[in-house]
Amino acid sequence: MFARGANVIPDDVLESAVTPARLARQVADARAVGMNMLRVWGGGRYAGDAFYAAADEAGLLVWQEVMAACAAYPRDAPFLEEVALEVRHQFTRLSAHPSVVLWGGNNEVEASFGWSPVTRAAPQLFAVDFAALFVDVVRPVLQELDPGVVYVDTSPSNGLLSSNPYVKRWGDVSDPAYGDVHFYDYTSDAFDPATYPPAKFVSEFGFMSFPSFSVYQTVTELGDWDLSSAMTDFRLRHAGGVQELQRQMGRHFLHASGETPPVSAFDGPVGASDGPTVTIGGPDVIVAGPNTTNSSESPVALQYKAFTHLSQVQQALAYETAAGVWRRGRDDPATRTMGMLYWQLNDIWQGPSWSSINHGGQWKLLHHAARRFFAPVYLSAWRDGDTLRASLVNDLPLDVRGLLSVDAVLYAARSEADVVTLLPPTATHAAALTAAPAWSGGLASLADAVTRQAQPTQLTYTSDYVLRLRFCPTAVQAAVGLPNPFEVETAGDGAGGNDTQVAAASSAGLTGSSANESCMSSIAGLGAAPGSAACAAASSALVCGEALFHPTEFVDASLWGPPPVLSARALPGAQTGDSGALVLEISSDVVALWVAVEPPPGLAGNFNASGFMLLPWQPQVVVFTPDPVEEGATGAAPMTAEELASKVTLRSLQQSMQEYEAGNPSSSALGLLNGVSLRLSVLGLTIFILTML
């Protein structure tokens, strides 16, 4: 199996605040986005029983580390005896949990030999200390209690030269040729696949983002919403973190000093006045519009919110780039990558970090993106020189058949008729347990095709559109020589014993049609009867996957006109079931990228989607599920869908890019345009000079 997952840290500074419900929710949130493994990091605390019980029930694997990390440890007899007692106690407590499949001796103790000045001064001495504790004490205790235990003495590691006798392969633990690696690179281009090295197993990697603003503002005040504030410094426990994020943003989202931001030629028909206008000018000028920002806020606070959103978009794209490299690597004979666990799942407090879930449980954009890049059947698209390539990664022990399509969504598009088809739905096959090429196209030829097919009034530079690739499964079939996880035995009708059911799902079934009807049409040639339970299982695993590819950097794209006007409304009958879930419809007047949907501060729960591309002709329906109120706790007053629609925060990438530059006195937008607000309309072939200061 290919391990897809994340690292878990303590869920709160105070252990007493970590309730069984919070631990169970960690597991549920991991499974909700396709994870199958969590690593309990050795630098924190052993998790409570509820965590492991939830993992057992969910079928999620746990890599459990002994609580030792990033330091040299002594080898005097009293200390070694104490560690032995700790390991014996914890293993005895956890050994009944089938989810715990791997024990680790520590986190980065051997790795510290390469960066700690203490251990670097005498590596052989500390290697002896390491072996005395993690090879001669921890390992024998575990083996005594379970001779079949799977044990790695440290992470990252180069593994073993021999298991019997036990001989470590000492050396550079970042060597991707052996064992697992921890990979962090804050200087290279995080969106470039070449940044991420080949590796057998990646047990840590990551890039920071800021916490969602609705979470951060519950523990801060207006004066803190400044990137140079004392509170930002206090909450940021990574030296130079803001500067690293800004440098990365400068590659993709922001203009360098001295550059002129392009003004979009696609901001609607001549005379359109119902959307917000964009003014790029002095320090008291802001970008504002309905359902987006509060025009009374200071530019500094607006810039902080924009930076927060950009950091989360950036983090999600970086992780997806890495996921594409390593998931495609499962079939690379030079690497055979078989796992990636990102740093980190959860957060210990409300501050900038590598987490995909905010402190308190609200998902960041990364966690929503993980649902896409951790899908068992994953469509990965990337640039290879002048070519766009797409691969299908299939982690299921089933062959999957489906339809692959490619189109170009112009930023000027106002209806589905404006979308340019480049590859109509085409039958495609993803073999079981493989990562294989599915399609490729030259970027120049794709641009020519867009130019030929686009409406005459629409410009078609590569900065004017995004390429959208989609794979929709139509059927699954048991692979020869592999077990079928969707095969179930049902009671016979008395005439012929048991019937074997093989599940399949059609694209129609994935959008709400009867599961049985979907099965009947999808497995007609398989010689098996459809079954509703099996079909439901297949439908939950096989969903349409989408990959977006931007031919140019966001900063160079036609995204600098008036930002999207986003709105939310409650749908009729918008409260569902006993969970109190609320249903909203999110709309935009133009193509909006990376639309973030956040509940108001203090409302605990999550939307089922955020960070999506929103099309003006296709509103997005989102469901908010509030967290259940724990016994003895006081929850927030119930909220209606109408109240939620009026209080939800909506933000697009276009808005954040413009607000950040508008609040940045060193940006070229301020220095060169000097307060000029332009609006172009290709349809009218007219340039309006709206404001001249």
Side-chain angles (χ1 to χ4, degrees), residues 1 10 152 317 385 401 420 468 487 490 607 640 652 673 679:
M1 59 161 276
V152 291
L317 286 168
R401 300 184 183 279
V420 176
R468 180 177 61 180
E487 185 174 85
T490 59
F607 285 98
T640 66
S652 68
L673 293 187
R679 186 171 186 177

Side-chain angles (χ1 to χ4, degrees), residues 109-365:
V109 171
E110 184 181 354
S112 72
F113 293 0
W115 49 259
S116 168
V118 175
T119 53
R120 287 177 66 182
Q124 292 180 330
L125 170 64
F126 289 102
V128 172
D129 291 348
F130 177 99
L133 177 56
F134 300 110
V135 177
D136 298 337
V137 171
V138 175
R139 177 173 171 267
V141 169
L142 294 173
Q143 288 190 318
E144 174 194 338
L145 297 170
D146 179 4
V149 68
V150 179
Y151 175 69
V152 291
D153 56 46
T154 189
S155 176
S157 166
N158 285 328
L160 303 177
L161 292 171
S162 168
S163 58
N164 189 19
Y166 191 93
V167 181
K168 276 179 61 65
R169 180 184 281 109
W170 296 97
D172 180 7
V173 293
S174 65
D175 186 347
Y178 304 103
D180 65 317
V181 300
H182 294 186
F183 179 76
Y184 296 91
D185 182 347
Y186 304 124
T187 58
S188 301
D189 184 350
F191 298 178
D192 183 355
T195 295
Y196 303 95
K200 302 294 185 186
F201 194 106
V202 184
S203 46
E204 281 190 29
F205 76 96
F207 202 88
M208 278 192 6
S209 70
F210 272 41
S212 298
F213 189 77
S214 61
V215 173
Y216 190 67
Q217 71 180 107
T218 62
V219 293
T220 55
E221 55 189 15
L222 180 61
D224 300 325
W225 306 339
D226 183 332
L227 294 176
S228 60
S229 71
M231 179 60 76
T232 299
D233 271 350
F234 175 69
R235 294 262 166 184
L236 179 65
R237 297 308 175 98
H238 174 65
V242 170
Q243 291 73 27
E244 290 170 354
L245 292 173
Q246 287 174 323
R247 283 195 295 269
Q248 197 69 222
M249 289 176 189
R251 286 188 166 101
H252 306 292
F253 304 114
L254 307 175
H255 293 98
S257 179
E259 291 183 344
T260 305
V263 182
S264 173
F266 303 126
D267 56 359
V270 176
S273 59
D274 53 345
T277 60
V278 181
T279 303
I280 305 177
D284 56 352
V285 178
I286 62 171
V287 180
N291 304 299
T292 53
T293 60
N294 182 348
S295 60
S296 66
E297 288 186 288
S298 72
V300 172
L302 287 175
Q303 186 190 44
Y304 193 94
K305 292 181 178 181
F307 183 89
T308 293
H309 182 227
L310 289 175
S311 75
Q312 290 199 15
V313 173
Q314 181 167 269
Q315 182 190 37
L317 286 168
Y319 283 51
E320 179 152 20
T321 303
V325 171
W326 289 321
R327 292 197 65 183
R328 294 192 303 267
R330 69 172 297 153
D331 266 11
D332 183 346
T335 55
R336 299 293 186 192
T337 307
M338 286 306 291
M340 51 171 287
L341 310 177
Y342 65 69
W343 184 266
Q344 65 209 58
L345 179 71
N346 59 315
D347 229 331
I348 196 167
W349 72 342
Q350 305 90 336
S353 79
W354 300 255
S355 73
S356 64
I357 300 177
N358 291 288
H359 181 265
Q362 187 186 121
W363 293 9
K364 291 183 179 179
L365 294 184

Side-chain angles (χ1 to χ4, degrees), residues 448-467:
D448 290 342
V450 174
T451 302
R452 290 194 305 270
Q453 297 182 54
Q455 298 295 327
T457 55
Q458 295 175 325
L459 297 181
T460 50
Y461 302 113
T462 55
S463 62
D464 297 339
Y465 60 85
V466 55
L467 296 175

Side-chain angles (χ1 to χ4, degrees), residues 382-571:
W382 77 103
R383 181 195 296 269
D384 181 12
D386 296 327
T387 301
L388 174 61
R389 301 192 184 277
S391 285
L392 278 171
V393 182
N394 181 9
D395 285 353
L396 297 174
L398 299 167
D399 293 336
V400 179
R401 300 184 183 279
L403 299 175
L404 178 68
S405 61
V406 182
D407 55 36
V409 179
L410 277 69
Y411 298 130
R414 295 297 183 269
S415 72
E416 195 165 4
D418 296 329
V419 176
V420 176
T421 299
L422 299 173
L423 177 71
T426 303
T428 308
H429 172 235
L433 304 179
T434 62
W439 176 84
S440 65
L443 289 170
S445 61
L446 291 172
D448 290 342
V450 174
T451 302
R452 290 194 305 270
Q453 297 182 54
Q455 298 295 327
T457 55
Q458 295 175 325
L459 297 181
T460 50
Y461 302 113
T462 55
S463 62
D464 297 339
Y465 60 85
V466 55
L467 296 175
R468 180 177 61 180
L469 297 82
R470 287 173 61 85
F471 176 73
C472 285
T474 55
V476 294
Q477 181 174 347
V480 176
L482 293 173
N484 179 2
F486 295 136
E487 185 174 85
V488 296
E489 297 297 326
T490 59
D493 58 8
N498 291 342
D499 297 320
T500 299
Q501 300 178 342
V502 179
S506 73
S507 55
L510 297 174
T511 57
S513 297
S514 162
N516 279 339
E517 291 177 2
S518 301
C519 278
M520 291 175 67
S521 64
S522 301
I523 67 173
L526 299 182
S532 59
C535 286
S539 296
S540 68
L542 300 177
V543 297
C544 293
E546 183 174 282
L548 299 179
F549 176 81
H550 298 268
T552 60
E553 296 287 3
F554 295 103
V555 67
D556 299 321
S558 300
L559 301 174
W560 294 91
V565 179
L566 306 176
S567 61
R569 73 180 184 94
L571 292 183

